[in-house]
Amino acid sequence: MISAGWYNTANKDARNVLAFGRMIKTLGGVSMSKSISGIYAIVNKTNGDKYIGSSCDIQKRWSQHARRLDNGNHHSIHLQRAWDKYGQEAF
């Protein structure tokens, strides 16, 4: 089982989860009346590193991540440093 956290591209399990995360992420921008739960990935497109998480409401969780990253106080120091270094456009 994969828990929420920062994974690099050498982690085979993280790549398997990423396929599902991408599918969910495409739904994240659509306004829906019903929340989507599951596993998601925040992917650094520059180097392939990824943060894997799970949520009962992925759209709401992404908003929380983005707000905390923009404010510079995300709980994952690795993700925060990558966000600061590469910018929002890299994710």
Side-chain angles (χ1 to χ4, degrees):
M1 178 173 215
I2 296 176
S3 59
W6 186 255
Y7 296 89
N8 63 32
T9 55
N11 187 323
K12 181 181 177 189
D13 292 333
R15 286 194 302 269
N16 292 338
V17 174
L18 177 60
F20 183 72
R22 281 189 181 146
M23 181 176 67
I24 294 297
K25 188 175 179 185
T26 60
L27 299 174
V30 178
S31 177
M32 296 174 283
S33 59
K34 190 174 182 181
S35 62
I36 296 178
S37 61
I39 300 168
Y40 62 91
I42 301 173
V43 182
N44 182 333
K45 295 179 282 189
T46 305
N47 60 18
D49 286 352
K50 52 195 75 67
Y51 174 95
I52 308 293
S54 63
S55 177
C56 293
D57 187 339
I58 292 176
Q59 190 171 7
K60 179 180 176 182
R61 185 66 178 130
W62 168 246
S63 296
Q64 293 170 342
H65 280 298
R67 184 176 56 252
R68 290 180 180 155
L69 288 164
D70 286 339
N71 290 334
N73 64 353
H74 196 273
H75 66 271
S76 169
I77 191 68
H78 296 290
L79 182 56
Q80 185 66 61
R81 286 179 181 161
W83 187 271
D84 294 342
K85 180 177 181 178
Y86 298 105
Q88 181 178 357
E89 302 78 28
F91 294 88

